[in-house]
Amino acid sequence: QVQLVESGGGSVQAGGSLRLSCTASGYPYVVYSMGWFRQGPGKQREGVAAIDTEGSTSYSDSVKGRFTFSKDNNKNTAYLQMDSLEPEDTAMYYCAARPCLYSYRPPNLKDDYRYWGQGTQVTVSS
């Protein structure tokens, strides 16, 4: 099975930057696209960004222009560069993988993602 491990979270002042990493291991039976989700205290888990197998990215309106999703296929690692962070970005961030057979569906449907990392905490202070 696919295993995902996130890293790069931490505490930062508003306006600062962080880069999250998601490293995948294992031998999946199908090709997967990747997504980043986040969940703040007492809130629902929401989609933040997604990238397909061809490198095409999409973002939620709340982070568009501030976050950048990229990947390094050689290292089997995905990255989420987060700039101009705001206190509202404070949350546990999760990396997830979705079978490409769901490509026709919106990329922010968390139930479509088969594998999840354990999360990395991001805290932004004012």
Side-chain angles (χ1 to χ4, degrees):
Q1 63 179 18
V2 174
Q3 292 181 299
L4 305 175
V5 180
E6 305 99 333
S7 63
S11 298
V12 66
Q13 292 284 324
S17 299
L18 286 172
R19 188 182 73 162
L20 306 184
S21 298
C22 175
T23 299
S25 62
Y27 293 87
Y29 292 102
V30 299
V31 177
Y32 294 90
S33 59
M34 305 296 296
W36 283 98
F37 291 77
R38 67 185 182 186
Q39 185 170 15
K43 299 181 179 179
Q44 297 295 314
R45 190 171 300 183
E46 62 175 347
V48 174
I51 189 167
D52 64 21
T53 56
E54 297 181 354
S56 180
T57 57
S58 60
Y59 304 90
S60 67
D61 290 338
S62 63
V63 307
K64 190 176 300 181
R66 299 189 297 120
F67 291 8
T68 303
F69 203 167
S70 62
K71 62 180 180 179
D72 185 332
N73 290 329
N74 183 265
K75 296 181 178 180
N76 212 17
T77 300
Y79 305 94
L80 184 66
Q81 178 67 42
M82 306 186 295
D83 298 319
S84 301
L85 285 163
E86 305 170 352
E88 292 73 20
D89 296 317
T90 295
M92 183 72 74
Y93 283 72
Y94 298 89
C95 175
R98 185 180 75 165
C100 289
L101 60 87
Y102 294 120
S103 294
Y104 67 98
R105 296 159 64 87
N108 63 339
L109 303 177
K110 60 180 182 294
D111 289 345
D112 287 349
Y113 288 79
R114 177 67 174 83
Y115 300 103
W116 294 80
Q118 294 184 345
T120 185
Q121 179 68 40
V122 171
T123 302
V124 184
S125 59
S126 60

